[in-house]
Amino acid sequence: IVTAEGMNIYPRDIEEALRAQPEVRDCVVIGLAAHGDSEACAILLLRDASADAEAVVRRANSALSEYQRIRRWLLWPGGDFPRTSTQKPKAAAIREWAESQFQSSPADSSRAQTGTLAELITRIKGRQPENITPQSLLEDDLNLSSIDRVELLSAIEDRYQVDLDETQITSATTLGDLEKIVRAPAASRKNYPYPRWAAGLGVRLVRAAITHCIFWPVTMLLSRPRVLYRERLQNIDGPFLVVCNHVTLVDIGYIEAALPARLRGHLAVAMSGDMLYEMRHPPDEMAWWRRLLEQLDYFLIAALFNVFSLPQRSGFLESFRYAGEQAGCGYSIVVFPEGRRTLDGSLQPFRSGIGLLATGLRLPVLPMRIDGLFALKASGRWFTRPHAVTVKFGNPVFFAADRDPEAIARELEETIAGL
């Protein structure tokens, strides 16, 4: 199979990666026409119909090169492939069926969506939508809420292994619009870094020692921030979701310094997914020594601050899952919901993703605000008089799972502005 980039893909390589997964009974990989080129499509025959096919594909993709990764796949509807007298799958019949799923006529286009978009929507809603057609309205007919659309965006990315812009999904009004988005050429999905090794016992012990013995004393020496309302943390031991305004690259140092000693060093910090990706995978045209420094910076930041990727436009549901893993390990999650550092010292609008995270993690939310640090940054100074920087704690709050994410984001924004 020759891709649009001119790379040769051998179906056997992909089939071997899939057959290495315990859930896969058999598989066939064929080349389908896509946008004037060929694209690999895997047809899976699973041992158990209830197995998580998306997880199977993700694991197989992790063993494949970027250009080999499976972006289209289907589940075979029968109990077994049609086979020859030598028990080999009948590739021609399987190909014909697969092509019918993706290249059906307009009158039967809903058939192409069965097992693809309609299947994803059914899984998200927990039921099969009635009378689903390409003209079905996402909001009125299929009852897709804002949270449902976020989950659908992530499911489409997992299924087709592409990166989609959030605005593409929010601008779609019908199922047919979504089908066009999926069929259109899209950039290969970025593998945003999630350094699980940074949560290992050895790294945790080193990080806790450095936090208490170096970072906290240095922060005290540089500015000795004034901490207000710390008593509001008396009844919580973590984990919790820290929501703070974003001023400089060293905000996390002030957050750590303000927290009680019992909570210090037990944080997982969300960071720009694109920034972490560029550090972990610097471009080839960069000088070798600069690439080495970028990768060294990545490993130091990940080890010392336990950072993880939070993409701003796509792939963020995977980030939410990782945050849940970290919270399950006892780490409090730190998020800067403005999505970028302030340009003038004022609070920027909060992204609605913080509402999704607050309802999804089911953790107490701890609002925090840092004041005075922007003036220090603007002056270009490292040292300042004691108490020139102030860190304030808000009252911890818990949000019900059925709260509107946008309303939560606005409430948190108002709370931190009020601090």
Side-chain angles (χ1 to χ4, degrees):
I1 303 168
V2 182
T3 68
E5 294 79 18
M7 304 293 290
N8 293 321
I9 296 177
Y10 296 93
R12 173 185 280 185
D13 295 338
I14 301 177
E15 289 170 354
E16 288 179 354
L18 286 167
R19 291 192 179 106
Q21 310 308 315
E23 300 91 339
V24 176
R25 176 182 167 193
D26 202 354
C27 63
V28 173
V29 174
I30 61 174
L32 290 180
H35 321 302
D37 296 290
S38 294
E39 186 176 46
C41 177
I43 297 87
L44 305 177
L45 183 63
L46 301 181
R47 300 182 189 278
D48 184 351
S50 64
D52 187 348
E54 289 186 4
V56 169
V57 172
R58 280 198 300 271
R59 291 200 305 270
N61 278 337
S62 67
L64 296 169
S65 299
E66 175 67 29
Y67 73 93
Q68 294 175 306
R69 287 179 179 163
I70 305 159
R71 293 174 171 80
R72 291 204 174 214
W73 55 271
L74 295 167
L75 294 177
W76 183 255
D80 194 7
F81 288 138
R83 297 183 183 272
T84 66
S85 58
T86 59
Q87 294 304 299
K88 291 184 178 181
K90 291 183 177 180
I94 295 171
R95 174 187 292 276
E96 182 179 355
W97 173 82
E99 289 177 342
S100 73
Q101 302 304 297
F102 289 108
Q103 298 178 357
S104 54
S105 64
D108 193 31
S109 59
S110 62
R111 180 185 173 195
Q113 293 152 356
T114 302
T116 52
L117 291 180
E119 175 192 336
L120 298 180
I121 293 172
T122 298
R123 177 158 55 83
I124 290 169
K125 297 300 295 183
R127 59 180 176 80
Q128 172 70 49
E130 297 181 2
N131 302 320
I132 187 169
T133 69
Q135 289 74 41
S136 297
L137 297 173
L138 300 180
E139 186 173 347
D140 295 338
D141 298 332
L142 304 181
N143 299 314
L144 289 180
S145 66
S146 58
I147 295 180
D148 293 335
R149 289 196 183 213
V150 170
E151 293 185 4
L152 181 60
L153 169 63
S154 182
I156 290 174
E157 290 179 333
D158 282 343
R159 170 62 65 91
Y160 298 105
Q161 291 297 294
V162 296
D163 260 340
L164 297 177
D165 193 319
E166 182 184 2
T167 58
Q168 292 179 280
I169 300 299
T170 55
S171 63
T173 57
T174 67
L175 193 62
D177 293 337
L178 284 182
E179 179 71 12
K180 291 177 183 177
I181 292 171
V182 171
R183 290 177 181 271
S188 296
R189 187 172 190 180
K190 282 184 177 179
N191 292 316
Y192 291 108
Y194 296 96
R196 288 176 170 82
W197 54 267
L201 178 60
V203 180
R204 287 164 52 189
L205 292 175
V206 171
R207 181 167 55 246
I210 292 176
T211 297
H212 286 86
C213 301
I214 298 178
F215 292 150
W216 182 80
V218 167
T219 303
M220 293 295 103
L221 178 65
L222 292 177
S223 65
R224 196 172 187 81
R226 178 174 56 176
V227 180
L228 299 179
Y229 316 125
R230 186 186 281 165
E231 65 275 7
R232 291 171 172 172
L233 278 66
Q234 288 179 351
N235 298 323
I236 61 171
D237 292 322
F240 42 84
L241 174 61
V242 176
V243 178
C244 186
N245 62 316
H246 201 5
V247 186
T248 71
L249 286 172
V250 297
D251 290 347
I252 188 61
Y254 285 88
I255 292 174
E256 289 271 22
L259 288 170
R262 73 179 192 280
L263 302 175
R264 209 173 293 147
H266 298 283
L267 303 178
V269 184
M271 184 174 170
S272 167
D274 291 318
M275 182 181 296
L276 276 180
Y277 181 87
E278 294 299 328
M279 294 173 67
R280 182 68 181 86
H281 305 282
D284 293 336
E285 58 270 17
M286 186 180 287
W288 68 268
W289 58 271
R290 288 190 59 194
R291 295 180 74 245
L292 187 61
L293 286 177
E294 285 288 312
Q295 292 175 336
L296 179 60
D297 284 345
Y298 164 76
F299 284 107
L300 286 175
I301 290 173
L304 296 178
F305 299 102
N306 195 23
V307 300
F308 66 93
S309 299
L310 182 59
Q312 292 190 356
R313 298 193 304 177
S314 60
F316 36 76
L317 206 58
E318 182 179 359
S319 178
F320 290 0
R321 285 194 292 266
Y322 182 83
E325 290 180 20
Q326 294 293 294
C329 293
Y331 287 96
S332 294
I333 310 301
V334 179
V335 176
F336 302 101
E338 295 164 282
R340 63 175 184 176
R341 295 187 296 276
T342 180
L343 299 177
D344 57 7
S346 64
L347 194 66
Q348 308 298 305
F350 283 13
R351 297 176 180 270
S352 58
I354 190 59
L356 291 170
L357 195 57
T359 56
L361 288 181
R362 310 291 294 150
L363 295 175
V365 180
L366 178 62
M368 294 184 67
R369 180 182 175 100
I370 301 173
D371 283 314
L373 190 55
F374 183 79
L376 186 62
K377 171 186 174 182
S379 67
R381 291 181 292 121
W382 288 90
F383 293 89
T384 187
R385 57 182 174 80
H387 296 174
V389 176
T390 303
V391 183
K392 303 174 186 176
F393 290 100
N395 287 309
V397 60
F398 191 86
F399 294 101
D402 58 356
R403 282 287 305 274
D404 177 58
E406 184 67 30
I408 293 175
R410 300 286 74 77
E411 181 176 332
L412 289 174
E413 183 180 337
E414 292 173 4
T415 298
I416 294 178
L419 289 175

